[in-house]
Amino acid sequence: MMVKLMRFSETQIQRYSRHILLPEVGGKGQAALLKARVLVIGAGGLGSPVALYLAAAGIGTIGLIDGDVVDLSNLHRQILHHTPDVDRPKVASAQAKLTALNPDVTVVPHHERLTADNALSLFEQYDIVIDGTDNFPTKFLANDAAIFTKRPLIHGGILRFVGQVMTILPGQSACYRCIFKEPPPAGLVPTCQEAGVLGALAGVIGTIQATEAIKLILGLPQPLTGRLLTYDALASSFRQITVRRNPKCPICGEQPTITTLTVAEQQVCELPTAALLSNGGAA
Amino acid sequence: MSSSFSVIVNGKEEATTAASVMELLQIKKVDPHMVSVEYNGEILDRTVFPSTHLKSGDKIEFLYYMGGGTA
Ligand SMILES: [Zn+2]
């Protein structure tokens, strides 16, 4: 332990002392965090708490991919961005905050959308990927790219007052498509933009995602795999639903039908015609 | 009039007269395209919602699509 601690500077020992004190972290664990590379998809509601806690923990390299600019309506939940950041690219705004929080951290901004063309090469540069996007085509793309590159993926989703989280270890635990075979018909499931979302809920779910990433890097047991954790802010209650790997999963099942990355781009803006048969409400 | 029996929906026991998963979704006004359904621990293909018959003690979980994050 002392040998490992020698690697740290005085300021690092001070900065990370409350982590190093934990037997589950220690000098060795903190060194692992400083060497880790984590990709965060989306520098928004979920990406904000995720990236802030990862930076504070001294995650060596944090990649951020987001093609958007900050909008005033983002600020009630996207706590990486401040009022003067409106109209600034989210990745630039995020990079400034994260490096100010912890200069040990290298932030790699990717000011673009995740696409079928860039996903694999991007994922390969990181150890763990965190899903903080709001749109389903990208969520499915992230899942598929994680399966192909065998990168752990930490899924998160929020809507109105409810959130969900699950850690996916490719080939070992249920993936997103084991639960949801394909994206919902476009326009059917409302986005935060349409349905609203409690800002602080993003903090709850994103913070759990960051915690799971840190646990994976430290090699701690009992990751949030094989169970979908849901949080209902109105009821103040957590539930977890056991989800097994689905033998019929189109990407990680016994006879996968998805063998290359594709994005259901056409689904983004089209409204379903036949699908709108009832008035289902998610929350 | 069919008699009711009890099933466990999202962890809560409740009485229902729904003969199938599809009927349960209809009674609860949940669009079948908006959820994934886990029936006694297994994720069901959407095509078998109508043919999956419910019996007393069945455990059903509605898993909702959730976006969030950016935008
Ligand atoms: Zn799968």
Side-chain angles (χ1 to χ4, degrees):
Chain A
M1 187 70 86
M2 287 312 290
V3 179
K4 295 286 182 190
L5 282 174
M6 298 299 278
R7 292 194 201 162
F8 300 117
S9 66
E10 270 314 303
T11 54
Q12 283 180 321
I13 290 170
Q14 268 186 44
R15 179 185 288 271
Y16 304 118
S17 59
R18 303 306 192 271
H19 262 172
I20 294 170
L21 276 169
L22 295 166
E24 292 81 357
V25 182
K28 200 175 153 214
Q30 189 58 53
L33 294 172
L34 283 163
K35 272 199 309 197
R37 304 175 57 86
V38 179
L39 176 65
V40 183
I41 307 171
L46 294 171
S48 287
V50 165
L52 283 165
Y53 272 112
L54 293 182
I59 299 297
T61 305
I62 300 173
L64 286 172
I65 178 162
D66 197 313
D68 282 345
V69 296
V70 178
D71 186 86
L72 191 58
S73 68
N74 298 151
L75 302 186
H76 95 300
R77 68 188 185 287
Q78 303 186 10
I79 56 173
L80 265 174
H81 314 301
H82 303 169
T83 306
D85 298 314
V86 169
D87 294 332
R88 200 174 172 197
K90 286 186 183 176
V91 289
S93 159
Q95 183 177 27
K97 312 307 180 338
L98 298 171
T99 45
L101 170 59
N102 189 348
D104 285 348
V105 175
T106 303
V107 177
V108 185
H110 304 274
H111 188 215
E112 57 188 329
R113 294 185 72 86
L114 189 74
T115 66
D117 292 326
N118 65 20
L120 295 179
S121 59
L122 206 53
F123 278 36
E124 277 163 2
Q125 297 168 44
Y126 295 90
D127 308 320
I128 296 173
V129 181
I130 299 184
D131 168 18
T133 74
D134 71 329
N135 72 85
F136 293 102
T138 308
K139 278 189 148 37
F140 281 83
L141 176 65
N143 181 74
D144 297 352
I147 299 291
F148 289 144
T149 58
K150 297 187 165 57
R151 294 299 189 272
L153 175 71
I154 301 164
H155 156 76
I158 48 173
L159 188 66
R160 300 190 181 105
F161 291 92
V162 184
Q164 60 182 209
V165 210
M166 183 173 78
T167 297
I168 296 161
L169 296 181
Q172 296 176 50
S173 71
C175 83
Y176 194 56
R177 283 194 196 266
C178 286
I179 304 177
F180 304 105
K181 210 165 118 188
E182 56 200 6
L188 200 59
V189 176
T191 61
C192 291
Q193 201 177 343
E194 294 152 4
V197 63
L198 189 76
L201 178 64
V204 175
I205 300 300
T207 303
I208 294 173
Q209 289 179 288
T211 308
E212 287 301 307
I214 289 166
K215 280 168 59 190
L216 285 180
I217 295 161
L218 296 173
L220 296 181
Q222 298 173 48
L224 187 55
T225 50
R227 35 204 180 117
L228 185 72
L229 183 69
T230 64
Y231 171 62
D232 181 340
L234 285 181
S236 299
S237 75
F238 282 97
R239 277 196 78 219
Q240 53 179 18
I241 302 148
T242 302
V243 279
R244 292 199 291 257
R245 284 187 72 191
N246 186 346
K248 289 184 204 146
C249 174
I251 190 157
C252 82
E254 284 161 6
Q255 286 168 321
T257 51
I258 298 166
T259 51
T260 53
L261 284 188
T262 49
V263 192
E265 297 282 11
Q266 78 283 359
Q267 297 203 11
V268 181
C269 303
E270 287 170 12
L271 275 172
T273 46
L276 287 163
L277 46 95
S278 92
N279 62 338
Chain B
M1 186 93 195
S2 52
S3 59
S4 75
F5 54 100
S6 77
V7 292
I8 298 157
V9 182
N10 288 4
K12 282 193 194 119
E13 189 167 344
E14 59 180 77
T16 186
T17 55
S20 67
V21 166
M22 189 59 137
E23 262 189 59
L24 184 68
L25 287 165
Q26 281 161 350
I27 289 169
K28 299 182 89 63
K29 294 189 166 45
V30 177
D31 188 319
H33 294 91
M34 288 189 56
V35 284
S36 190
V37 176
E38 192 185 71
Y39 172 75
N40 293 335
E42 253 165 67
I43 300 289
L44 294 181
D45 205 280
R46 211 161 264 131
T47 54
V48 304
F49 287 178
S51 60
T52 303
H53 299 290
L54 295 181
K55 56 183 189 309
S56 181
D58 278 347
K59 288 193 179 116
I60 298 113
E61 295 282 351
F62 296 153
L63 306 167
Y64 291 95
Y65 287 103
M66 264 173 229
T70 35

